[in-house]
Amino acid sequence: MMTIYQVLLQHRGPLLKFTLSLTALKSCPGIDQLIRFVSNNGIQELTLYIYKGGPYKLPSSLFSCQVITHLNLLSCVFKPPPGFKGFSRLLSLKLFRVVIAGVTISSLISTCPLLEQLTIQSSTGFDLLEIVACNLRCLRLVGFFSSVCFKNTPQLAKVSMHLESSLWNLVSEDRETSSSVMLTGTFPVVELLVLDYYHLKAMAAGGIPNIFPTTLTHLKILKLCLICFEKVDEISMACPGETLALDPVPEPLEVQG
């Protein structure tokens, strides 16, 4: 880690892009030092992936970086210091197995006014996710979300939601939890919708209410992952006019398996 830091010290001028991928978390002070250095040198694109030994608690220096435009994190603890007001220039945010409270991620989204792309992959899930993002165009959620509220997403055109097998088991076994899953808000310009088998199965079984409370009049592509179209029950489950409550079904609508 010190070798990387010494190399960075030889750099003159802004450091626009920095990627650090660690197979195992060993020296937190060393990582803190690197993050502090790049944060103080105009970092715009930061990727930090911890594959084993995490999660790694992000240092406070990261939250003072107001020129960052792309932030990608794997196995980190995201806990902003008091007074944190978001990232004013952030365009893309990707969080994979990041430890973060639902209220914190909702606040982060709302305080990144330029945010266009958002990816959240959680192995634990959230009780409430509130999305206020007037420039958001692409959203990908992987995990169990008890409630997702879209309050201001007028530009949202691509939505991908995956439940995955392990989380489907949680939903199907706990009826009280599954019945509380809700999605609210409006989606005026969604053109691409991606759902996986387990999300559709939960919806068809009544475990999850209709995923979209409004008619998807602009929908052009419906992509269904892990669906076997040779099985009658899965074909019925994937019927756009029933499971997704598309009335009328947008035309032309391309369905991909």
Side-chain angles (χ1 to χ4, degrees), residues 126-143:
F126 292 88
D127 290 333
L128 172 64
L129 178 62
E130 185 176 276
I131 299 179
V132 180
C134 60
N135 283 302
L136 189 65
R137 289 168 170 77
C138 182
L139 172 67
R140 183 171 186 265
L141 299 178
V142 181

Side-chain angles (χ1 to χ4, degrees), residues 9-31:
L9 287 177
Q10 304 303 314
H11 178 76
R12 296 293 180 267
L15 189 63
L16 302 181
K17 185 175 182 179
F18 182 74
T19 298
L20 180 62
S21 297
L22 300 177
T23 55
L25 182 62
K26 295 181 179 180
S27 175
C28 287
I31 302 177

Side-chain angles (χ1 to χ4, degrees), residues 64-82:
S64 63
C65 184
Q66 287 301 308
V67 296
I68 193 166
T69 59
H70 294 72
L71 181 60
N72 310 310
L73 302 173
L74 168 64
S75 191
C76 296
V77 177
F78 193 100
K79 189 175 182 180

Side-chain angles (χ1 to χ4, degrees), residues 16-222:
L16 302 181
K17 185 175 182 179
F18 182 74
T19 298
L20 180 62
S21 297
L22 300 177
T23 55
L25 182 62
K26 295 181 179 180
S27 175
C28 287
I31 302 177
D32 290 350
Q33 195 173 32
L34 289 173
I35 298 299
R36 186 181 306 111
F37 181 85
V38 299
S39 297
N40 293 332
N41 283 272
I43 189 68
Q44 293 183 7
E45 299 184 28
L46 176 62
T47 298
L48 177 58
Y49 288 166
I50 311 293
Y51 290 96
K52 290 184 179 180
Y56 160 71
K57 188 178 186 301
L58 296 167
S60 58
S61 57
L62 173 65
F63 301 99
S64 63
C65 184
Q66 287 301 308
V67 296
I68 193 166
T69 59
H70 294 72
L71 181 60
N72 310 310
L73 302 173
L74 168 64
S75 191
C76 296
V77 177
F78 193 100
K79 189 175 182 180
F84 175 64
K85 297 181 179 179
F87 299 111
S88 60
R89 300 187 186 182
L90 193 67
L91 300 175
S92 175
L93 176 64
K94 297 181 180 180
L95 305 178
F96 304 98
R97 302 202 312 268
V98 169
V99 179
I100 182 172
V103 64
T104 301
I105 183 62
S106 296
S107 175
L108 175 62
I109 294 171
S110 66
T111 53
C112 297
L114 301 182
L115 188 64
E116 296 179 354
Q117 298 184 28
L118 174 63
T119 297
I120 303 175
Q121 179 175 323
S122 172
S123 57
T124 57
F126 292 88
D127 290 333
L128 172 64
L129 178 62
E130 185 176 276
I131 299 179
V132 180
C134 60
N135 283 302
L136 189 65
R137 289 168 170 77
C138 182
L139 172 67
R140 183 171 186 265
L141 299 178
V142 181
F144 181 74
F145 300 85
S146 296
S147 178
V148 181
C149 179
F150 296 82
K151 284 194 172 181
N152 183 19
T153 55
Q155 305 297 325
L156 187 58
K158 299 179 180 179
V159 177
S160 175
M161 303 187 71
H162 297 261
L163 190 57
E164 296 189 335
S165 59
S166 59
L167 294 173
W168 157 250
N169 293 333
L170 172 64
V171 173
S172 60
E173 292 174 3
D174 188 346
R175 300 301 299 177
E176 182 178 353
T177 299
S178 64
S179 63
S180 68
V181 175
M182 296 180 61
L183 288 95
T184 59
T186 57
F187 317 89
V189 296
V190 169
E191 297 180 353
L192 170 65
L193 175 60
V194 182
L195 298 171
D196 72 343
Y197 166 79
Y198 296 100
H199 226 128
L200 284 170
K201 187 174 182 179
M203 291 161 58
I208 296 180
N210 290 332
I211 189 168
F212 290 107
T214 56
T215 303
L216 299 174
T217 56
H218 289 79
L219 189 64
K220 296 180 180 179
I221 299 177
L222 174 62

